[in-house]
Amino acid sequence: MNRFLFIPITLLLSYCTSKYYVVRHAERIDNSSNSALSSDGLKRAQDLKDTLTSRKIDLIYVSTFLRTQQTAQ
């Protein structure tokens, strides 16, 4: 690779960043395998939303469990 191309490419790549936020689902009602969120869990999910709203999040991945989907909503 040409040395003169290497520097601009390196500078360009330094501006490409990704951030990942890994979050566990909020509190669930019971220990059943597909439990919904409890009232405390809904409150914590809302607090999480308030915290992350200012971030520029493009995608949210969740499992098929109801509690994870409710947390992501």
Side-chain angles (χ1 to χ4, degrees):
M1 179 182 273
N2 188 332
R3 285 174 50 177
F4 298 107
L5 288 177
F6 181 73
I7 293 172
I9 290 172
T10 303
L11 288 174
L12 256 176
L13 289 176
S14 68
Y15 289 102
C16 298
T17 60
S18 295
K19 291 184 180 180
Y20 296 89
Y21 301 92
V22 179
V23 177
R24 187 175 189 275
H25 63 80
E27 291 77 19
R28 55 186 170 173
I29 292 175
D30 56 39
N31 286 331
S32 66
S33 63
N34 199 25
S35 178
L37 293 180
S38 67
S39 58
D40 287 341
L42 291 169
K43 167 81 170 90
R44 189 161 77 90
Q46 182 62 46
D47 292 343
L48 179 63
K49 176 187 172 191
D50 295 342
T51 300
L52 296 177
T53 296
S54 63
R55 314 281 194 237
K56 294 180 180 171
I57 297 175
D58 296 321
L59 295 169
I60 298 174
Y61 294 96
V62 299
S63 71
T64 58
F65 293 109
L66 179 59
R67 62 188 174 269
T68 62
Q69 294 172 7
Q70 288 179 314
T71 301
Q73 278 181 325

